[in-house]
Amino acid sequence: MIKQAIIPLAGLGTRLLPLTSIMAKELLPINGKPGIEYILDECIEAGIKEIIFIISKKKEVIKKYFYKDNFYKSIIKRKKDQRIKEEYKKILFYKKKIKFVYQNYPLGTGDAVLKTKKYIKDDYFLMLLPDDLIMKKNCSKEMIKVHKKYKSSVMASMKVKKNTVNRWGIYSTSKNLDKKNFIISNVVEKPDIKKAPSNNAVIGRYILPKNIFNILKNQVSGKGGEIHITDAIKALIQNNFKFVGHKFSGKYLDCGTMKGYIKSTLEINKI
Ligand code: G1P
């Protein structure tokens, strides 16, 4: 069973400036609800018991969002408002499942994952990137099923426009397992448009093996000077670890760019 999930949240959110100059991008509302709550709901519904938030000193506002007990209690005492009571109950429910670890320098997703090393108990864990919302169908739940069936690591995947491949992790496949799942033979972080092996992109849901920590420990920085999770996955594949790409069926919303963020509010409203 996959019981733990990790969520890297220490990123600076520069693609969403100026909104992120004083606000964590994961707390920005999407149709009246902070983006991070959609991600939490997906995890919890998929059966995840513990969620590890990787934050930084600059992103402590995320922790504060879940620790406003005295404030809620005093408001509820004065106002007796049912809606606020329900919201507080929800916050308490989330809080019980969340643990916080720190990544104070934004050295990349791989470095963020490494910070969770001593907390991961089982052989596999789930990682969700908060910029990527997947609605309508629970992608994590689907991927956990795929993991059980093929006894492998899993990455969410989607075809993207050829002229945008340099914004994603792009992979090649070696074998189709069924209509929605295939074996990944290589993956490269944000390739040049001319050199990209395909237009199959990695989307921010991963079921990773604990062994990835051994790779990350010694990994040198890659593209843009960052430690990328994609490079660690590539090394695992080269060491014969099985990675399955899963074509998810939900609706993808890219909340990490300004254009995508604005669009996501409109799209969620329609669902
Ligand atoms: C990250 C990953 C990239 C992946 C993308 C999905 O990039 O590094 O491989 O395709 O998420 O959203 P980022 O969005 O952090 O630039």
Side-chain angles (χ1 to χ4, degrees):
M1 261 310 275
I2 308 274
K3 293 197 208 86
Q4 290 177 296
I6 68 169
I7 308 180
L9 295 159
L12 300 173
T14 47
R15 289 184 291 211
L16 284 175
L17 279 170
L19 301 181
T20 44
S21 60
I22 52 152
M23 181 76 162
K25 67 175 169 184
E26 299 81 6
L27 294 179
L28 291 173
I30 299 170
N31 201 30
K33 172 167 148 175
I36 191 68
E37 290 193 11
Y38 291 94
I39 301 279
L40 284 169
D41 291 344
E42 179 181 327
C43 283
I44 294 165
E45 205 201 297
I48 296 294
K49 304 286 176 231
E50 182 180 76
I51 301 147
I52 302 174
F53 276 18
I54 306 138
I55 59 167
S56 66
K57 289 220 172 77
K58 285 188 185 144
K59 302 283 288 281
E60 260 175 342
V61 64
I62 296 178
K63 186 169 182 183
K64 285 187 187 146
Y65 181 76
F66 296 94
Y67 280 81
K68 279 283 182 187
D69 301 70
N70 290 341
F71 175 72
Y72 275 109
K73 281 178 191 158
S74 72
I75 296 277
I76 290 168
K77 210 167 158 186
R78 269 195 285 133
K79 284 191 123 182
K80 310 215 180 316
D81 182 315
Q82 194 54 29
R83 191 192 71 84
I84 300 173
K85 266 191 198 165
E86 291 301 322
E87 290 293 337
Y88 180 46
K89 227 165 92 183
K90 198 172 72 180
I91 296 281
L92 284 177
F93 174 71
Y94 289 142
K95 184 167 90 169
K96 264 196 270 168
K97 300 192 184 308
I98 307 171
K99 204 177 216 157
F100 293 86
V101 301
Y102 283 78
Q103 180 201 24
N104 280 328
Y105 304 98
L107 299 178
T109 317
D111 179 66
V113 174
L114 193 55
K115 300 288 187 250
T116 67
K117 182 171 182 263
K118 61 176 181 205
Y119 303 101
I120 297 297
K121 295 176 197 137
D122 299 327
D123 288 345
Y124 289 88
F125 58 97
L126 173 71
M127 173 164 81
L128 302 95
L129 301 185
D131 283 357
D132 294 339
L133 290 195
I134 302 174
M135 307 305 295
K136 282 190 177 167
K137 191 104 203 205
N138 190 317
C139 181
S140 296
K141 206 172 177 176
E142 284 183 327
M143 284 174 57
I144 290 172
K145 278 191 205 147
V146 174
H147 159 75
K148 273 193 199 152
K149 185 166 175 194
Y150 294 109
K151 301 191 176 30
S152 64
S153 300
V154 189
M155 287 196 276
S157 117
M158 185 178 88
K159 275 214 183 306
V160 294
K161 288 197 186 115
K162 289 204 172 85
N163 60 354
T164 69
V165 286
N166 57 1
R167 187 250 176 268
W168 313 91
I170 298 289
Y171 61 85
S172 5
T173 62
S174 60
K175 186 180 150 195
N176 286 342
L177 295 167
D178 54 59
K179 268 192 187 156
K180 291 190 162 182
N181 302 296
F182 32 82
I183 299 282
I184 293 183
S185 54
N186 193 18
V187 59
V188 31
E189 180 67 10
K190 305 194 171 83
D192 291 344
I193 296 177
K194 281 188 190 135
K195 288 190 191 146
S198 72
N199 62 334
N200 294 320
V202 177
I203 300 300
R205 301 290 182 276
Y206 307 72
I207 291 178
L208 297 169
K210 212 181 183 175
N211 305 59
I212 203 156
F213 295 121
N214 296 331
I215 304 273
L216 286 169
K217 247 179 1 202
N218 305 312
Q219 192 173 308
V220 292
S221 42
K223 197 142 200 159
E226 287 185 26
I227 310 272
H228 293 289
I229 197 63
T230 314
D231 294 339
I233 293 170
K234 186 189 178 105
L236 282 175
I237 293 172
Q238 280 164 357
N239 283 312
N240 292 322
F241 275 80
K242 190 163 144 192
F243 269 82
V244 169
H246 172 71
K247 224 191 264 173
F248 58 91
S249 39
K251 180 158 180 57
Y252 172 66
L253 301 171
D254 175 10
C255 303
T257 62
M258 190 57 94
K259 217 170 144 189
Y261 170 66
I262 294 167
K263 202 172 149 204
S264 59
T265 293
L266 303 172
E267 290 288 331
I268 284 192
N269 212 293
K270 285 189 223 154
I271 293 171

